[in-house]
Amino acid sequence: MENLPSCPKCKSEFTYPMDNLLVCPECSHEWVPEEIEVEVGLVVKDANGNLLSDGDAVVIVKDLPVKGAPKPIKAGTKVKSIRLVEGDHNIDCKIDGFGSMALKSEFVRKA
């Protein structure tokens, strides 16, 4: 039996060839094997264009005012163990002295 790729839609292993296509019997998805799209997860880049990932440490690159706080987060503040999320503020983290925060990746650089 041939080693055919799993269905990109439902991940079924029971695919079969039909003409120049591959077909999934479970979800009826048809695709050309050469045109399989590679799924790309959440891509977040810092101010310098470096890719960030969960658990990275970053440094704040400019003073960031915090609504309701008497002082801003100073440039140069190191933040450990970031978590990437979808949205405008795509970094969740805890900052000493401020607590849980959501930051934009354009204001940090990888440490």
Side-chain angles (χ1 to χ4, degrees):
M1 189 165 155
E2 301 175 45
N3 285 333
L4 296 174
S6 297
C7 175
K9 191 171 185 181
C10 72
K11 307 297 183 210
S12 170
E13 297 177 2
F14 304 110
T15 58
Y16 62 90
M18 183 176 72
D19 297 327
N20 62 344
L21 299 175
L22 289 177
V23 180
C24 175
E26 293 183 12
C27 70
S28 301
H29 181 64
E30 299 177 352
W31 72 98
V32 178
E34 293 81 28
E35 296 178 3
I36 295 177
E37 296 179 12
V38 177
E39 285 188 29
V40 179
L42 181 62
V43 177
V44 178
K45 294 184 179 184
D46 69 0
N48 296 331
N50 298 319
L51 286 176
L52 296 173
S53 59
D54 286 341
D56 280 348
V58 296
V59 176
I60 308 291
V61 295
K62 71 178 252 182
D63 288 354
L64 297 175
V66 179
K67 190 181 278 188
K71 58 184 180 173
I73 300 172
K74 296 289 186 185
T77 303
K78 188 169 184 177
V79 180
K80 300 176 188 175
S81 283
I82 64 169
R83 189 170 61 102
L84 303 179
V85 294
E86 293 283 341
D88 188 32
H89 291 74
N90 47 11
I91 297 174
D92 278 345
C93 61
K94 287 186 181 177
I95 300 176
D96 293 336
F98 287 93
S100 295
M101 301 291 285
L103 301 172
K104 290 186 178 184
S105 60
E106 62 200 52
F107 299 122
V108 299
R109 66 174 168 82
K110 199 169 186 174

